[in-house]
mmCIF file of all heavy atoms in Angstrom:
data_model
loop_
_atom_site.group_PDB
_atom_site.id
_atom_site.type_symbol
_atom_site.label_atom_id
_atom_site.label_comp_id
_atom_site.label_asym_id
_atom_site.label_seq_id
_atom_site.Cartn_x
_atom_site.Cartn_y
_atom_site.Cartn_z
ATOM 1 N N ARG A 114 4.911 -6.134 -13.147
ATOM 2 C CA ARG A 114 5.003 -6.684 -14.357
ATOM 3 C C ARG A 114 3.883 -6.154 -15.229
ATOM 4 O O ARG A 114 3.641 -6.507 -16.405
ATOM 5 C CB ARG A 114 4.928 -8.273 -14.445
ATOM 6 C CG ARG A 114 6.209 -8.843 -13.852
ATOM 7 C CD ARG A 114 6.115 -10.317 -13.918
ATOM 8 N NE ARG A 114 7.416 -10.914 -13.456
ATOM 9 C CZ ARG A 114 7.542 -12.043 -12.880
ATOM 10 N NH1 ARG A 114 6.483 -12.850 -12.760
ATOM 11 N NH2 ARG A 114 8.823 -12.492 -12.546
ATOM 12 N N GLN A 115 2.927 -5.303 -14.613
ATOM 13 C CA GLN A 115 1.860 -4.761 -15.385
ATOM 14 C C GLN A 115 2.044 -3.357 -15.860
ATOM 15 O O GLN A 115 1.151 -2.912 -16.590
ATOM 16 C CB GLN A 115 0.669 -4.758 -14.350
ATOM 17 C CG GLN A 115 0.432 -6.100 -13.620
ATOM 18 C CD GLN A 115 0.340 -7.259 -14.532
ATOM 19 O OE1 GLN A 115 -0.407 -7.315 -15.468
ATOM 20 N NE2 GLN A 115 1.004 -8.244 -14.216
ATOM 21 N N HIS A 116 3.104 -2.677 -15.393
ATOM 22 C CA HIS A 116 3.401 -1.251 -15.690
ATOM 23 C C HIS A 116 4.831 -0.964 -15.968
ATOM 24 O O HIS A 116 5.676 -1.743 -15.519
ATOM 25 C CB HIS A 116 2.913 -0.342 -14.549
ATOM 26 C CG HIS A 116 1.469 -0.640 -14.045
ATOM 27 N ND1 HIS A 116 0.434 -0.104 -14.674
ATOM 28 C CD2 HIS A 116 1.112 -1.346 -12.957
ATOM 29 C CE1 HIS A 116 -0.679 -0.520 -14.056
ATOM 30 N NE2 HIS A 116 -0.217 -1.269 -12.907
ATOM 31 N N THR A 117 5.072 -0.010 -16.839
ATOM 32 C CA THR A 117 6.532 0.395 -16.871
ATOM 33 C C THR A 117 6.792 1.077 -15.504
ATOM 34 O O THR A 117 5.974 1.419 -14.709
ATOM 35 C CB THR A 117 6.528 1.512 -17.897
ATOM 36 O OG1 THR A 117 5.925 2.713 -17.517
ATOM 37 C CG2 THR A 117 6.246 1.115 -19.246
ATOM 38 N N VAL A 118 8.131 1.227 -15.323
ATOM 39 C CA VAL A 118 8.538 1.978 -14.056
ATOM 40 C C VAL A 118 8.037 3.198 -13.873
ATOM 41 O O VAL A 118 7.427 3.664 -12.807
ATOM 42 C CB VAL A 118 10.142 1.934 -14.026
ATOM 43 C CG1 VAL A 118 10.624 2.796 -12.843
ATOM 44 C CG2 VAL A 118 10.719 0.539 -13.890
ATOM 45 N N GLU A 119 7.925 4.009 -14.937
ATOM 46 C CA GLU A 119 7.408 5.314 -14.933
ATOM 47 C C GLU A 119 5.906 5.378 -14.621
ATOM 48 O O GLU A 119 5.376 6.185 -13.779
ATOM 49 C CB GLU A 119 7.670 6.073 -16.279
ATOM 50 C CG GLU A 119 9.143 6.327 -16.558
ATOM 51 C CD GLU A 119 9.891 5.143 -17.141
ATOM 52 O OE1 GLU A 119 9.099 4.107 -17.564
ATOM 53 O OE2 GLU A 119 11.097 5.204 -17.184
ATOM 54 N N GLU A 120 5.138 4.481 -15.231
ATOM 55 C CA GLU A 120 3.643 4.393 -14.885
ATOM 56 C C GLU A 120 3.466 3.925 -13.476
ATOM 57 O O GLU A 120 2.663 4.571 -12.856
ATOM 58 C CB GLU A 120 3.009 3.281 -15.836
ATOM 59 C CG GLU A 120 2.938 3.630 -17.189
ATOM 60 C CD GLU A 120 2.611 2.462 -18.117
ATOM 61 O OE1 GLU A 120 2.647 1.342 -17.610
ATOM 62 O OE2 GLU A 120 2.111 2.710 -19.347
ATOM 63 N N ALA A 121 4.268 2.959 -13.005
ATOM 64 C CA ALA A 121 4.021 2.518 -11.573
ATOM 65 C C ALA A 121 4.452 3.794 -10.641
ATOM 66 O O ALA A 121 3.652 3.922 -9.634
ATOM 67 C CB ALA A 121 4.915 1.410 -11.276
ATOM 68 N N ALA A 122 5.467 4.462 -10.820
ATOM 69 C CA ALA A 122 5.748 5.632 -10.064
ATOM 70 C C ALA A 122 4.761 6.653 -10.068
ATOM 71 O O ALA A 122 4.395 7.207 -9.002
ATOM 72 C CB ALA A 122 7.172 6.226 -10.553
ATOM 73 N N GLU A 123 4.031 6.939 -11.205
ATOM 74 C CA GLU A 123 3.041 7.791 -11.306
ATOM 75 C C GLU A 123 1.834 7.433 -10.424
ATOM 76 O O GLU A 123 1.222 8.212 -9.707
ATOM 77 C CB GLU A 123 2.512 8.044 -12.753
ATOM 78 C CG GLU A 123 1.427 9.096 -12.977
ATOM 79 C CD GLU A 123 1.142 9.138 -14.382
ATOM 80 O OE1 GLU A 123 1.278 8.290 -15.222
ATOM 81 O OE2 GLU A 123 0.478 10.264 -14.764
ATOM 82 N N LEU A 124 1.382 6.135 -10.453
ATOM 83 C CA LEU A 124 0.292 5.529 -9.659
ATOM 84 C C LEU A 124 0.656 5.850 -8.120
ATOM 85 O O LEU A 124 -0.193 6.262 -7.423
ATOM 86 C CB LEU A 124 0.135 4.107 -9.866
ATOM 87 C CG LEU A 124 -0.314 3.693 -11.236
ATOM 88 C CD1 LEU A 124 -0.438 2.218 -11.323
ATOM 89 C CD2 LEU A 124 -1.535 4.403 -11.743
ATOM 90 N N ILE A 125 1.845 5.427 -7.727
ATOM 91 C CA ILE A 125 2.261 5.479 -6.339
ATOM 92 C C ILE A 125 2.363 6.924 -5.824
ATOM 93 O O ILE A 125 1.872 7.226 -4.743
ATOM 94 C CB ILE A 125 3.619 4.788 -6.158
ATOM 95 C CG1 ILE A 125 3.289 3.209 -6.359
ATOM 96 C CG2 ILE A 125 4.215 4.988 -4.839
ATOM 97 C CD1 ILE A 125 4.448 2.420 -6.569
ATOM 98 N N GLU A 126 2.905 7.831 -6.751
ATOM 99 C CA GLU A 126 2.901 9.211 -6.246
ATOM 100 C C GLU A 126 1.439 9.833 -6.167
ATOM 101 O O GLU A 126 1.260 10.647 -5.253
ATOM 102 C CB GLU A 126 3.758 10.062 -7.295
ATOM 103 C CG GLU A 126 5.251 9.746 -7.254
ATOM 104 C CD GLU A 126 5.951 10.599 -8.182
ATOM 105 O OE1 GLU A 126 5.905 11.840 -8.147
ATOM 106 O OE2 GLU A 126 6.681 10.000 -9.055
ATOM 107 N N ALA A 127 0.540 9.421 -7.015
ATOM 108 C CA ALA A 127 -0.776 9.868 -6.884
ATOM 109 C C ALA A 127 -1.390 9.434 -5.624
ATOM 110 O O ALA A 127 -2.118 10.143 -4.946
ATOM 111 C CB ALA A 127 -1.681 9.376 -8.072
ATOM 112 N N PHE A 128 -1.050 8.177 -5.301
ATOM 113 C CA PHE A 128 -1.625 7.556 -4.054
ATOM 114 C C PHE A 128 -1.123 8.278 -2.937
ATOM 115 O O PHE A 128 -1.838 8.721 -1.863
ATOM 116 C CB PHE A 128 -1.312 6.055 -4.003
ATOM 117 C CG PHE A 128 -1.641 5.371 -2.711
ATOM 118 C CD1 PHE A 128 -2.916 4.853 -2.489
ATOM 119 C CD2 PHE A 128 -0.670 5.284 -1.802
ATOM 120 C CE1 PHE A 128 -3.194 4.199 -1.381
ATOM 121 C CE2 PHE A 128 -0.952 4.590 -0.523
ATOM 122 C CZ PHE A 128 -2.180 4.052 -0.335
ATOM 123 N N LEU A 129 0.209 8.526 -2.792
ATOM 124 C CA LEU A 129 0.787 9.182 -1.592
ATOM 125 C C LEU A 129 0.334 10.685 -1.464
ATOM 126 O O LEU A 129 0.231 11.134 -0.409
ATOM 127 C CB LEU A 129 2.393 9.098 -1.787
ATOM 128 C CG LEU A 129 3.000 7.756 -1.806
ATOM 129 C CD1 LEU A 129 4.489 7.848 -2.109
ATOM 130 C CD2 LEU A 129 2.766 7.000 -0.523
ATOM 131 N N ALA A 130 -0.002 11.264 -2.510
ATOM 132 C CA ALA A 130 -0.385 12.697 -2.559
ATOM 133 C C ALA A 130 -1.813 12.904 -2.173
ATOM 134 O O ALA A 130 -2.276 13.957 -1.711
ATOM 135 C CB ALA A 130 -0.037 13.366 -3.834
ATOM 136 N N GLU A 131 -2.709 11.890 -2.473
ATOM 137 C CA GLU A 131 -4.225 12.094 -2.321
ATOM 138 C C GLU A 131 -4.593 11.968 -0.797
ATOM 139 O O GLU A 131 -4.311 11.093 -0.216
ATOM 140 C CB GLU A 131 -4.772 10.930 -3.088
ATOM 141 C CG GLU A 131 -6.357 11.210 -3.328
ATOM 142 C CD GLU A 131 -6.722 12.423 -4.092
ATOM 143 O OE1 GLU A 131 -5.918 12.669 -5.158
ATOM 144 O OE2 GLU A 131 -7.805 12.900 -3.924
#
Side-chain angles (χ1 to χ4, degrees):
R114 292 181 176 156
Q115 312 306 310
H116 308 279
T117 66
V118 170
E119 295 80 14
E120 289 169 346
E123 184 180 23
L124 298 178
I125 290 163
E126 287 180 60
F128 174 85
L129 295 174
E131 189 69 31

